[in-house]
Amino acid sequence: MTSVRTGVRLSSPPVATPAQPPLERIPRSTMIAALGSLAAALSITVVWPQVWLSCRHGRTLGLSPTGSWLAVGLNLCWLTFGLLVGDPAQVVTHAVVGAGNTAVLAAQLRGQPHLRTTPALTRTAPGAAALAALAAGSVAAVVLGAEAAAVAAGLSAVVTLVGVVAALPQLLGVLDRTSDLSGMSPLRWYLGAGSCASWTAYGWLLGQTMVWLSAGFGLVCAVVTCLAMRTRRPGAPVVPLHRPGADRPWPALSAA
């Protein structure tokens, strides 16, 4: 059985006891397949609550701009990986998720004009630019005659490590007690925790260390984020303000 998770091709481990009847292996194989399907489905749906909140309601406070740029760059790299190995599941998954992450980034840049300034872009976008260059370079290498499988393997190894690092900006922002998290969708992070838990179990069952370590780190980040959003007030309360000499109060604008 072969499956794919974010660009890493997974193969079922060899049977430890050849004398074991085939029927006894069916429940385990079915469980792993179902777990992989659940993880893939959650991976595709996880971004859309945030897309709705950011694009429909214009709420982006609390989202790390560096993390948003990196998410788009990572999706582009995994999409390139899927094209190099000819994996339709990878192509569809990362095309869909990439579209969602790009929409969130666009809403973030539109709603926070200071993020479009040259200093801000110089600080937040270089990582995504490097990932885009990596994807383009991988395609160019194959066009020039390099073996697609070898290029794809190198690309997936680099992007897996970058994906772990890419989670840090958002995590650090959440841990900052002064941050306003009102623009972050709780449902997106609950789904993310479920997705990472599924991939962690999936990688563990298949003996794929890189997969379950990466997903396990993502699970920790998602759980910390969920706890922070549950325990922190999303913004300042509405307090009436008075004009000098006027009896009628003016409502203050909510921080959200």
Side-chain angles (χ1 to χ4, degrees):
M1 179 188 69
T2 301
S3 180
V4 176
R5 188 263 177 189
T6 58
V8 183
R9 190 167 293 276
L10 309 175
S11 301
S12 297
V15 180
T17 54
Q20 185 181 18
L23 290 178
E24 293 186 21
R25 298 198 300 270
I26 293 178
R28 176 182 173 86
S29 300
T30 302
M31 179 181 65
I32 294 176
L35 192 59
S37 298
L38 174 62
L42 288 173
S43 296
I44 292 176
T45 59
V46 68
V47 71
W48 296 105
Q50 187 64 57
V51 172
W52 175 260
L53 186 65
S54 297
C55 297
R56 178 65 178 83
H57 299 286
R59 294 171 58 182
T60 59
L61 293 179
L63 295 176
S64 165
T66 301
S68 296
W69 276 107
L70 287 173
V72 173
L74 287 168
N75 282 134
L76 178 61
C77 285
W78 286 125
L79 176 61
T80 301
F81 174 87
L83 292 172
L84 291 178
V85 300
D87 186 347
Q90 282 283 0
V91 172
V92 172
T93 298
H94 291 289
V96 172
V97 177
N101 282 326
T102 301
V104 171
L105 175 61
Q108 199 170 1
L109 295 175
R110 183 175 63 251
Q112 302 183 54
H114 68 278
L115 296 179
R116 304 197 299 266
T117 62
T118 300
L121 291 174
T122 302
R123 186 176 64 255
T124 60
L131 289 172
L134 177 62
S138 299
V139 174
V142 173
V143 171
L144 293 176
E147 185 180 355
V151 174
L155 177 63
S156 65
V158 172
V159 177
T160 297
L161 294 177
V162 173
V164 173
V165 177
L168 293 177
Q170 184 64 68
L171 179 62
L172 294 176
V174 168
L175 293 177
D176 182 359
R177 298 292 300 178
T178 65
S179 296
D180 184 347
L181 307 182
S182 60
M184 298 177 64
S185 167
L187 179 58
R188 177 258 182 270
W189 290 97
Y190 294 147
L191 290 173
S195 174
C196 289
S198 299
W199 284 122
T200 301
Y202 187 74
W204 180 273
L205 289 173
L206 290 179
Q208 298 291 334
T209 304
M210 183 64 72
V211 172
W212 68 260
L213 281 177
S214 176
F217 180 76
L219 176 60
V220 172
C221 294
V223 170
V224 170
T225 302
C226 290
L227 291 174
M229 286 189 290
R230 285 185 61 88
T231 58
R232 195 176 309 171
R233 299 179 68 176
V238 176
V239 179
L241 296 179
H242 293 267
R243 291 178 297 167
D247 295 329
R248 185 176 62 182
W250 281 6
L253 294 177
S254 171

